[in-house]
Amino acid sequence: MAFKSIVVEIDDHVALIRLNRPDALNALNAALLTELGQALTEAEANEKVRCIVLTGSEKAFAAGADIKEMAEKTFVDVFSEDLFGPFNDTMLRIRKPIVAAVAGYALGGGCELAMMCDFIIAADTAKFGQPEINLGAVAGLGGTQRLTRFVGKSKSMEMHLTGRFMTAEEAERSGLVSRVVPAKKLMEETMAAAQKIAAKSALTVMAVKEAVNRSYETTLAEGLLHERRLFHALFATEDRREGMQAFLDKREAQFRDR
């Protein structure tokens, strides 16, 4: 379908979704989140798509939620519509890997959206922050929970309480992003990573994503058991057999998602 707030391109088994509200620095409004949820759902159902890349512009990944849209809302409004809840649920349902390519500002909802992806590759121009405190508000898309898990309590608390921005270098040092690349090479590096993922067995990729995510949801003992059972289960697949045989034969594996 045609979208107004995002641009979607599918090439070489990778769906590239670009936030496209340049006049608002890609601020997250209801229309954008609705379209993004639809695009992610379609990519999940598209057999040709094996990895998803989410990005914004050189100036801003997303500068936050749309304040103009929220300013006049009441508690009854946001509670009744469960503001941000449906989109959060959509993101959690996506089993294919989602890579965030972040340049410029990723603030408030933008930082939260990036953290909802499976990993973040940042341009050296990226700045991350949760400045909701300046609005008399608190993060509403997982910022207090996910940022704390990424960077620890002390740094997360400081950022949420002061509204301070974090540079790309600090974000990498703190574990928020997987790596930092020159801004001019951001999309090249991110698409290369996505294509590398797309070349793997889709069954194994989904199992890996599930296992890593489970580590945040359960005890170590339960997580280890879940991982081991997934490890065992993959021995029932043709792809596991092909991968090991290809290694022994010293050739590239030809995965068939079986």
Side-chain angles (χ1 to χ4, degrees):
M1 63 175 291
F3 297 111
K4 295 182 179 180
S5 300
I6 62 174
V7 177
V8 180
E9 303 172 17
I10 298 177
D11 183 51
D12 200 16
H13 301 295
V14 176
L16 173 61
I17 304 176
R18 189 182 299 276
L19 308 184
N20 189 37
R21 295 189 69 211
D23 295 340
L25 295 179
N26 294 329
L28 308 178
N29 63 3
L32 186 151
L33 290 177
T34 297
E35 290 187 354
L36 181 54
Q38 291 173 346
L40 289 168
T41 301
E42 290 175 9
E44 175 77 359
N46 188 337
E47 294 183 358
K48 295 181 179 180
V49 174
R50 303 171 68 85
C51 187
I52 302 165
V53 171
L54 181 59
T55 192
S57 67
E58 293 181 3
K59 192 171 184 179
F61 176 75
D66 194 323
I67 306 304
K68 290 182 179 179
E69 188 175 75
M70 294 191 296
E72 298 302 318
K73 288 182 179 291
T74 67
F75 167 76
V76 173
D77 295 331
V78 297
F79 185 74
S80 298
E81 67 184 79
D82 191 20
L83 184 61
F84 299 142
F87 177 75
N88 180 75
D89 294 343
T90 296
M91 285 289 285
L92 293 176
R93 286 196 299 268
I94 304 302
R95 301 179 72 194
K96 295 176 181 178
I98 308 173
V99 184
V102 176
Y105 296 111
L107 307 177
C111 185
E112 292 169 297
L113 178 59
M115 291 191 291
M116 294 172 83
C117 298
D118 294 305
F119 64 91
I120 303 168
I121 297 179
D124 51 14
T125 59
K127 292 185 182 299
F128 300 87
Q130 299 289 164
E132 291 89 351
I133 192 79
N134 297 327
L135 305 173
V138 65
L141 258 173
T144 61
Q145 306 304 300
R146 292 190 175 96
L147 187 62
T148 304
R149 284 166 168 78
F150 278 121
V151 306
K153 176 187 175 182
S154 184
K155 192 176 289 289
S156 174
M157 190 73 81
E158 181 208 7
M159 290 181 67
H160 281 283
L161 289 177
T162 68
R164 180 178 72 83
F165 297 170
M166 180 186 287
T167 65
E169 180 184 0
E170 183 182 359
E172 181 182 29
R173 190 170 65 245
S174 302
L176 177 58
V177 307
S178 63
R179 55 192 167 106
V180 177
V181 301
K184 292 183 178 180
K185 291 189 174 182
L186 175 62
M187 294 314 300
E188 176 186 342
E189 293 286 342
T190 304
M191 294 303 289
Q195 288 160 1
K196 184 173 291 188
I197 294 169
K200 312 300 184 187
S201 163
L203 294 172
T204 307
V205 165
M206 286 190 290
V208 168
K209 175 171 176 171
E210 181 179 307
V212 174
N213 284 336
R214 181 63 67 92
S215 72
Y216 284 96
E217 305 294 340
T218 189
T219 64
L220 176 60
E222 288 299 319
L224 290 171
L225 178 60
H226 183 73
E227 175 193 81
R228 192 159 64 252
R229 292 296 179 250
L230 285 172
F231 171 72
H232 294 160
L234 288 174
F235 274 72
T237 68
E238 293 180 15
D239 282 349
R240 192 280 314 167
R241 182 182 297 276
E242 164 63 12
M244 291 189 175
Q245 190 60 52
F247 176 83
L248 295 174
D249 294 344
K250 298 181 179 180
R251 59 176 174 81
E252 289 291 324
Q254 302 298 314
F255 296 118
R256 302 175 66 185
D257 303 332
R258 297 180 180 176

